Amino acid sequence: MQPRDLSDHVAYEAGRGIEEVARELGRDPTEFVKLASNENPHGPSPAAAVAIRETASSVSSYPKSAHADLVRAIADRFGVDDQQIWLANGGDGAIDYLHRATLEPGDAVLTPTPGFAYYGMSARFHHGDDRAYSLERADDFEQTAAGVLESFDGERIVWVTSPHNPTGTTMALAEIERLAEETPAETLVVVDEAYGEFADRDSAVALIEGRAGYDARDDVAVLRTFSKAYGLAGLRLGYAIVPEEWAEAYTRVNTPFAASELACRAGLAAIDDDEHVERTVETARNSRDAMCDRLDAHVWPSEGNFVLVDVGNATAVSEALRERGVIVRNCSSFGLPDCLRITCGTEEETELAIETTNDVLADRAAGTGTRLGVTDE
């Protein structure tokens, strides 16, 4: 007995953790700073941490009440009906739910490249196809409806990431509206706003609800997460916001109790912890500005909690940084072999990342990079 043919599927490459790198190099984990996975440098919402401790003794029960309470809290935050919130086990779970609700065998999704690999992976898991549209480096990875429509060929779902990972660009609401207008009624435009709290932009929920001068649409959905600004990545808590017409589909495609008791209780506490989110966003903006101003390399403007940096050889530079205690994301897996993605850290972490990166780049420019055991081959 063997599993079905999985030759079209590839493993997702996550950012490497401190413990993993420390074991590999035979060093103490305290020697490293991790700026590879766009995690919150301030940790989880303090209110969420308290809720987790207080809820620990109740995890023997299914999270029915907590699940409903969190759905209501999210709906209130965005001014939508409870039934429009599809709570999930992380943003990845919400991607799966949307694909389950939408894709028939043979349907396709259209995803950005470079971009988040799981959109296409999930589509293939659900017996769909994955096609791509390009965000062009020559245009600084600008996101426009025209750029997407050039590649559109009747796909059932079009994925837009705003802010985009790994480039940090956003797509204006007017462009998202045009994209929805110029694709067929049976095509769903999904806007992944995992980094939405860090951007000075209105949420695409305005298009679903008909706010800010836009007409209400039934062909736009929004993805959000508690992983980034709220610091709950380890709890795996995300959600989709869908049109009213989609409400009943959730009960037919979700897993029973889509998020754990601890995750729901933490989310309930975190969603009202505005102080933690504001501090996190301010830290990210300061860090972005510092890296844009002071890194001795081209840095693309970003509205996420990370920046994309052109270092010439991502593998060589990321390995040299790792040797010096700074773990960043090699973007070769995104199809950008000359770029690094550096997460916005605390002031101290950002300072270390800037100084160390500049030192590595200077060494390489002077031809001394090989003393670190790193070559371009």
Side-chain angles (χ1 to χ4, degrees), residues 115-357:
F116 185 39
Y118 193 70
Y119 303 139
M121 292 170 64
S122 174
R124 292 189 294 274
F125 293 154
H126 292 86
H127 304 285
D129 195 8
D130 173 30
R131 300 169 188 149
Y133 64 90
S134 294
L135 301 183
E136 298 295 341
R137 183 177 185 144
D139 298 325
D140 289 327
F141 306 106
E142 181 183 18
Q143 297 199 70
T144 65
V148 179
L149 290 167
E150 284 181 5
S151 300
F152 181 77
D153 188 27
E155 287 79 10
R156 192 75 163 87
I157 294 179
V158 175
W159 285 95
V160 173
T161 316
S162 184
H164 179 261
N165 174 25
T167 68
T169 60
T170 57
M171 182 179 282
L173 290 190
E175 292 294 304
I176 298 169
E177 181 188 46
R178 179 188 167 191
L179 181 58
E181 285 281 355
E182 297 189 24
T183 51
E186 61 270 20
T187 294
L188 179 69
V189 176
V190 185
V191 186
D192 186 343
E193 296 181 347
Y195 301 96
E197 288 84 0
F198 300 99
D200 189 18
R201 300 269 181 163
D202 290 335
S203 170
V205 173
L207 299 178
I208 301 173
E209 294 300 293
R211 299 173 188 156
Y214 295 99
D215 293 331
R217 307 197 64 89
D218 63 1
D219 56 355
V220 173
V222 170
L223 203 69
R224 286 263 174 163
T225 182
F226 282 87
S227 294
K228 309 302 181 184
Y230 294 99
L232 302 183
L235 284 179
R236 312 308 302 126
L237 184 62
Y239 54 96
I241 305 173
V242 303
E244 288 185 27
E245 293 82 354
W246 287 64
E248 292 185 3
Y250 181 55
T251 59
R252 301 176 186 272
V253 298
N254 74 325
T255 54
F257 308 109
S260 72
E261 176 76 8
L262 288 182
C264 289
R265 292 298 176 190
L268 273 166
I271 199 168
D272 289 327
D273 193 350
D274 294 333
E275 181 179 350
H276 182 69
V277 172
E278 289 168 4
R279 179 190 182 203
T280 298
V281 171
E282 181 180 10
T283 295
R285 289 175 176 168
N286 290 340
S287 179
R288 286 185 325 218
D289 289 345
M291 287 191 280
C292 285
D293 290 343
R294 296 175 48 208
L295 279 172
D296 295 333
H298 180 70
V299 182
W300 280 272
S302 169
E303 294 196 58
N305 66 335
F306 55 85
V307 295
L308 184 69
V309 187
D310 184 348
V311 295
N313 184 317
T315 298
V317 174
S318 63
E319 289 180 1
L321 287 170
R322 185 185 62 173
E323 291 284 346
R324 300 188 187 196
V326 179
I327 305 170
V328 298
R329 185 63 183 264
N330 177 346
C331 286
S332 296
S333 62
F334 287 95
L336 298 170
D338 51 358
C339 292
L340 301 178
R341 190 191 68 196
I342 306 178
T343 300
C344 296
T346 63
E347 184 176 354
E348 294 77 14
E349 290 169 341
T350 300
E351 186 68 22
L352 177 63
I354 292 171
E355 291 182 357
T356 308
T357 301

